[in-house]
Amino acid sequence: MMVLITYDVNTETKEGKKRLHKVAKECQNYGQRVQNSVFECIIDPTQLLVIQSKLTKIIDVEKDSLRFYFLGDEWRKRVEHIGAKPGIDLEGTLVV
């Protein structure tokens, strides 16, 4: 299923900047960055629970926020892209 993960991390302090870096790094393990604080992730329900747990442990719930948008398996019908940074086929073959 496609899950859109967005976050807002308060970076007024050094600790906040570290949290921001850790959140972004963790999201990169599960999906493709499509905007600064937005990742498209094709994950299964178990992976969703794992990343939610990891991210919740990183953020400061008093200062930061996470949002998970569930687009499901028919996500291609729900996502339209216009402009720079064309997306990649998250389900296609990866060539390194």
Side-chain angles (χ1 to χ4, degrees), residues 9-21 64:
V9 177
N10 183 309
T11 57
E12 294 175 350
T13 65
K14 192 174 189 176
E15 294 79 18
K17 291 176 185 173
K18 284 183 182 180
R19 290 193 312 274
L20 176 66
H21 180 73
D64 310 327

Side-chain angles (χ1 to χ4, degrees), residues 19-67:
R19 290 193 312 274
L20 176 66
H21 180 73
K22 287 180 182 180
V23 168
K25 198 78 164 161
E26 195 60 50
C27 287
Q28 286 175 337
N29 291 331
Y30 290 87
Q32 168 75 24
R33 182 190 300 262
V34 293
Q35 291 186 0
N36 287 337
S37 297
V38 181
F39 281 80
E40 291 178 346
C41 305
I42 295 185
I43 54 180
D44 61 41
T46 301
Q47 290 172 312
L48 174 62
L49 293 175
V50 169
I51 192 169
Q52 284 178 323
S53 175
K54 287 179 177 181
L55 293 176
T56 302
K57 290 176 183 173
I58 294 170
I59 69 164
D60 180 337
V61 296
E62 299 295 321
K63 299 177 183 175
D64 310 327
S65 67
L66 295 168
R67 287 181 178 257

